[in-house]
Amino acid sequence: MAIDSIPTKGRTLDHAAFVYDFLEPVLLMGKQAEYDRKILSLLDPAPTDRVLDLGCGTGVLCSLIGARLDGASGGFAVGIDAAGKMIQVARKKRSGPSCRFEVMAAEHLSFEDGYFDAVVSSLFFHHIPLDLKAMALSEAFRVLKPGGKLVIADMHIPTTWMGSLVSHVSRWFFMQPQIGENIRGVLPDMIAAAGFEPPRRMADFFGYITVFLTTRPSIPMA
Ligand SMILES: C[S@@+](CC[C@H](N)C(=O)[O-])C[C@H]1O[C@@H](n2cnc3c(N)ncnc32)[C@H](O)[C@@H]1O
């Protein structure tokens, strides 16, 4: 059954949903497993954790996270994406007892405050403009528990000439100014401005993707 998309200023990928699983390994230069493993190792979820994946696409990373969680004890991963067709593919291929998918815009999350132990996003922030980046980060902050983790893997200031070439060609080929914002390096300051601890740079992939780790500060003891 077709699932409606959510209107958003973000660049959704309904048109690519049915080929995305073939495209992503190319974008990740055959190292998707290594890339996903790095993100998982930083998240390091406990079996009972609740984890939110922003802009989950067809749900590959979300299902790997779900496999580490114990649905019977309340642990689960939920992937959200504004593209109905992405969620359709994700549900069909990757739903499970500890993994589900919802159509939702990252800038307007319907979850209650402090609901999640961790929030993750991979290759999502270069799809949304600056105002939505700020809104999505402030929503991630709101739905995270104090002390909860945020892991963001996305395009950032390129670290190699090849990474620079890929970044600038994608920005102009896809006519995507949101990529331009990322490669100017806006993410770390925006993450901190949303209230998170200053993000730590944990890994770089292919000269154009950086993985950041931060936390929502814990509430100080009285
Ligand atoms: C490049 S894909 C990344 C998918 C997946 N996380 C991955 O690592 O392969 C970016 C995704 O963000 C989604 N998206 C764009 N704007 C969005 C928004 N405002 N809220 C939620 N998802 C959005 C797109 O539909 C697309 O599926």
Side-chain angles (χ1 to χ4, degrees):
M1 192 182 66
I3 303 174
D4 288 340
S5 299
I6 301 274
T8 173
K9 285 196 293 175
R11 184 170 285 217
T12 49
L13 288 185
D14 277 304
H15 56 283
F18 295 99
V19 290
Y20 192 77
D21 281 352
F22 304 100
L23 285 181
E24 192 177 21
V26 178
L27 291 174
L28 296 176
M29 301 185 187
K31 293 194 170 168
Q32 186 172 10
E34 187 188 325
Y35 171 82
D36 288 336
R37 259 199 313 277
K38 182 70 201 176
I39 295 174
L40 273 169
S41 74
L42 293 173
L43 273 178
D44 192 23
T48 54
D49 275 359
R50 296 174 184 164
V51 182
L52 172 65
D53 181 0
L54 300 175
C56 65
T58 56
V60 174
L61 176 63
C62 192
S63 70
L64 292 171
I65 298 167
R68 300 269 292 260
L69 305 175
D70 179 8
S73 314
F76 67 87
V78 56
I80 67 104
D81 201 289
K85 288 197 168 67
M86 282 290 197
I87 292 301
Q88 202 178 327
V89 174
R91 280 186 183 162
K92 186 166 172 203
K93 291 175 132 178
R94 306 199 166 95
S95 285
S98 54
C99 180
R100 63 185 167 84
F101 299 96
E102 306 286 345
V103 191
M104 205 180 288
E107 62 273 22
H108 296 297
L109 297 176
S110 65
F111 305 103
E112 62 198 58
D113 297 1
Y115 189 68
F116 289 100
D117 299 282
V119 175
V120 63
S121 92
S122 156
L123 301 176
F124 159 65
F125 276 91
H126 72 272
H127 275 249
I128 55 174
L130 276 181
D131 56 337
L132 260 54
K133 285 178 172 59
M135 287 169 76
L137 285 167
S138 117
E139 279 291 80
F141 185 90
R142 181 183 68 75
V143 301
L144 258 182
K145 293 178 180 162
K149 275 184 193 177
L150 173 69
V151 177
I152 293 181
D154 220 306
M155 298 180 79
H156 185 54
I157 302 169
T159 54
T160 62
W161 70 266
M162 184 54 91
S164 187
L165 185 70
V166 171
S167 301
H168 287 93
V169 167
S170 333
R171 186 261 174 264
W172 292 105
F173 180 78
F174 295 114
M175 292 184 289
Q176 203 162 321
Q178 304 91 332
I179 292 179
E181 297 157 7
N182 274 52
I183 64 180
R184 282 202 310 274
V186 300
L187 280 180
D189 286 349
M190 294 192 79
I191 294 169
F196 291 98
E197 301 286 0
R200 285 184 291 148
R201 182 178 195 138
M202 306 306 287
D204 290 291
F205 284 91
F206 324 119
Y208 72 96
I209 297 173
T210 296
V211 186
F212 294 104
L213 170 67
T214 184
T215 50
R216 175 177 168 158
S218 304
I219 298 169
M221 303 285 268

